[in-house]
Amino acid sequence: MRWVVLILLFFGAVINFADKSIVGLAAVPIMKEFNLTYAEWGLVGSSYYWLYPVTGIFGAAWADRLGAKKVLGFIMLTWTVLQFGVLAITALPLLILYRILLGAFEGPYSPIAYSHADKWFPPKLKGFANSVVVGGGTVGAMIVAPILVSLITIFGWKVAFAALGAASLVWFFLFQFLTKENQVEVYENVQKKKKQKLEKIKVKDFLLLLASPTAMFTTLAYFSTYILVVWFSVWLPIYLVEAVKMTPGQMGTSVAIIGVVSVCIYMGVSMASDHLFKKNQNWRSSRVFVVAGAMILGALFFSSIMIFQNPIWVIVAMCLAKGLTYAILPIGPTIMINEMQERGGLMTSILTSSGNLAGIIAPLLTGYIISLAGGNQLLGYNLSILFMAILVLAFGILFAIFVKPAGKLKNKSSDNFDLKSS
């Protein structure tokens, strides 16, 4: 059963990030239809995240109480309604309103999915399980890009958006009929303890936990990486067309290549982290140092495209930068959940929602920087790339220095259900 749950969470993430990134793939026709400036387009990209962090926290807390199955089903139905509603958009204000609402209802998905996957898998597979969920995001944002570009080119951007609404509806029925809410029996005692603890949490203690170096710098590292997530989603397609001079077809193919390779890289990093953790049970060496090293290398590769701007190297560097820096996305939730396991959904929502604040900043900042460069678009893109590379590098180093998770997982019984779950 747990593999069915994981596969569906993967495809849910595919839809989630396809919804998020399709606006970037449709940037050229949308900007042309509504006659938008770069600054206005930055506003469109940013608007998706205005409510995203807040609803992510409340939605995940709601799932901790009511169950992931019910909450995920509800939000997936809202995605369907909103994506079909795109057919009625006729002006910039309606486009912005649509993005605000879509972001609000998509905000809870990632933290709930991470927490739900974490409950079904033992410690030695947690990093892998979360990397599969994150991989769904990359598939949604990158690998389906050629399909979405074809739909946009042939049928128009509104029909492509509506197609994603249909996919959300199909996922809803599959998740409701093929999965169950509760985990395997051996894990039920842990769940009962969690439910009891839900009533006893003190706000002061929770705030102190969030202010701890481990929680704070994990969140900041996630935040810095998520600036790249947003840039890849909103600006990468335009960058490849305008700065690298690719055709729309070449852009779609390149985006897909970057997606495929990067998934392999950060899944490999996650599996290596799991392997080290299984051997030494040491969070610092197996989780923190592995992720920090990957972030630092990724930032260096990302910055290299300012110097070596050959299209082939740009794709190679993007693959390495995305794959390595994204290592924090599957491992970060595991670290946060370990800090307060009875509130796994809430802890991951704090992490992802705080990181998603970058979604508000990054599109506006990138649009502003490009506009400052005047007619020199390449210079504008390079300055934004330099800023993001420095940010990831700095927080990767701080992550390595200050994040010191508890040495052992607190719920030992989670090791036992590996053999009994199916």
Side-chain angles (χ1 to χ4, degrees), residues 213-378:
T214 294
M216 180 184 300
F217 285 99
T218 299
T219 300
L220 289 173
Y222 194 99
F223 172 88
S224 66
T225 297
Y226 218 86
I227 288 183
L228 285 183
V229 173
V230 177
W231 191 89
F232 276 110
S233 174
V234 177
W235 290 101
L236 176 61
I238 307 177
Y239 170 79
L240 293 178
V241 171
E242 295 188 344
V244 188
K245 305 302 181 184
M246 293 184 179
T247 66
Q250 291 172 333
M251 176 270 289
T253 302
S254 299
V255 166
I257 292 172
I258 293 170
V260 171
V261 177
S262 66
V263 168
C264 295
I265 292 173
Y266 66 69
M267 287 189 70
V269 174
S270 297
M271 292 174 69
S273 174
D274 283 344
H275 178 71
L276 287 174
F277 182 80
K278 182 180 179 181
K279 289 181 62 177
N280 59 30
Q281 298 289 303
N282 187 299
W283 282 82
R284 289 276 286 166
S285 62
S286 65
R287 304 296 195 196
V288 177
F289 292 155
V290 169
V291 170
M295 289 180 65
I296 292 169
L297 285 175
L300 294 176
F301 279 115
F302 192 58
S303 62
S304 72
I305 66 176
M306 297 186 299
I307 302 173
F308 306 105
Q309 294 178 332
N310 179 279
I312 295 177
W313 175 250
V314 168
I315 295 174
V316 171
M318 288 287 189
C319 290
L320 293 169
K322 183 178 173 68
L324 291 169
T325 56
Y326 273 37
I328 184 67
L329 302 186
I331 302 300
T334 300
I335 294 173
M336 291 292 282
I337 292 171
N338 186 56
E339 295 300 298
M340 187 182 285
Q341 291 186 9
E342 67 274 11
R343 286 279 187 167
L346 181 59
M347 290 302 291
T348 52
S349 73
I350 296 293
L351 173 62
T352 58
S353 295
S354 296
N356 281 315
L357 290 174
I360 299 174
I361 300 170
L364 293 173
L365 182 62
T366 303
Y368 177 71
I369 292 175
I370 294 174
S371 297
L372 283 180
N376 193 339
Q377 294 174 333
L378 182 60

Side-chain angles (χ1 to χ4, degrees), residues 29-110:
I30 293 176
M31 291 180 72
K32 183 178 180 180
E33 179 175 337
F34 298 123
N35 194 26
L36 304 181
T37 65
Y38 284 110
E40 288 172 331
W41 183 244
L43 185 65
V44 172
S46 173
S47 62
Y48 178 88
Y49 296 94
W50 291 354
L51 294 178
Y52 196 106
V54 176
T55 58
I57 293 173
F58 283 100
W62 190 27
D64 282 339
R65 290 185 174 276
L66 300 182
K69 185 174 179 178
K70 293 179 181 177
V71 178
L72 287 176
F74 170 75
I75 64 175
M76 191 64 73
L77 285 178
T78 64
W79 301 0
T80 299
V81 173
L82 288 168
Q83 291 293 52
F84 277 107
V86 166
L87 298 172
I89 293 177
T90 56
L92 177 60
L94 289 176
L95 179 62
I96 292 176
L97 177 61
Y98 148 75
R99 293 297 288 177
I100 292 173
L101 292 175
L102 185 64
F105 285 102
E106 293 200 335
Y109 183 82
S110 291

